Amino acid sequence: GAAAMYFVSKKLKKKYNITDERAALYEAAETWVDALNGQDFLGGSKPNLADLAVYGVLRPIRYLRSGGDMVEHTRIGEWYTRMENAVGESSRIKA
């Protein structure tokens, strides 16, 4: 699994001409905030499926260094906090 993902990431970086992964992440976050067009969510006053999809991608990395840096260096932090409040806590069972 991990070895396959390594090669997939190399292929995707080449396909999309990504030389700096962090800069690409920041740019994508800023593009998302621009798409909000001043609204709380892309869905307006409530999150829609696009909001949930982006949140689902960002949630696992939020507390990693790259996710923290993204929130610190882009405008996505306010939207992410609104999404956390709208979605609520994880429903996973804690062992």
Side-chain angles (χ1 to χ4, degrees):
M5 290 309 297
Y6 173 80
F7 290 109
V8 168
S9 72
K10 294 293 182 188
K11 188 173 182 175
L12 288 173
K13 283 172 50 175
K14 184 176 181 180
K15 178 179 179 180
Y16 293 105
N17 197 28
I18 297 172
T19 56
D20 183 350
E21 297 89 356
R22 195 167 295 242
L25 179 65
Y26 293 174
E27 183 180 345
E30 290 294 341
T31 299
W32 178 254
V33 174
D34 289 342
L36 296 175
N37 202 23
Q39 301 179 101
D40 285 345
F41 305 103
L42 193 67
S45 61
K46 294 182 180 178
N48 65 10
L49 286 176
D51 288 296
L52 291 172
V54 172
Y55 181 72
V57 168
L58 296 180
R59 188 173 185 167
I61 68 164
R62 171 61 180 97
Y63 294 101
L64 299 175
R65 181 180 295 171
S66 59
D69 287 349
M70 176 193 59
V71 170
E72 184 179 324
H73 294 101
T74 68
R75 300 171 292 146
I76 204 164
E78 291 179 15
W79 171 84
Y80 188 88
T81 301
R82 288 191 298 271
M83 282 301 296
E84 278 183 319
N85 293 333
V87 171
E89 289 189 33
S90 172
S91 61
R92 74 178 173 95
I93 298 172
K94 297 178 183 174

